[in-house]
Amino acid sequence: MNRELVKKIRAEYPAGTRAELVQMDDPYRNMEPGLRGTVKAVDDMATIHIAWDNGASLGAVYGVDII
């Protein structure tokens, strides 16, 4: 993953930011569009780790999932 892109995503989604799910492709979880959560961190692969309001802790994959 490009370091500059990770830096940009971390600036856009700092810890504490509220996020809303638009689309997530996860066959193991029922994550409905409109679900909200709080950003916990962005890792070195640009995955945005979110504590969802439904109790799930699931990362949004940059370029795959839409928040």
Side-chain angles (χ1 to χ4, degrees):
M1 183 60 59
N2 179 313
R3 284 183 171 206
E4 289 302 313
L5 178 59
V6 171
K7 184 177 177 179
K8 176 182 176 261
I9 294 167
R10 284 182 174 147
E12 188 174 345
Y13 295 99
T17 299
R18 294 290 289 168
E20 182 174 337
L21 182 64
V22 175
Q23 179 183 351
M24 181 175 278
D25 185 24
D26 188 331
Y28 304 105
R29 299 274 178 134
N30 184 18
M31 303 294 284
E32 295 291 326
L35 181 63
R36 294 175 186 224
T38 304
V39 173
K40 294 299 179 185
V42 177
D43 67 21
D44 290 340
M45 294 299 295
T47 298
I48 304 162
H49 295 275
I50 301 170
W52 296 100
D53 292 350
N54 69 354
S57 289
L58 199 59
V61 178
Y62 182 79
V64 176
D65 301 318
I66 304 169
I67 57 171

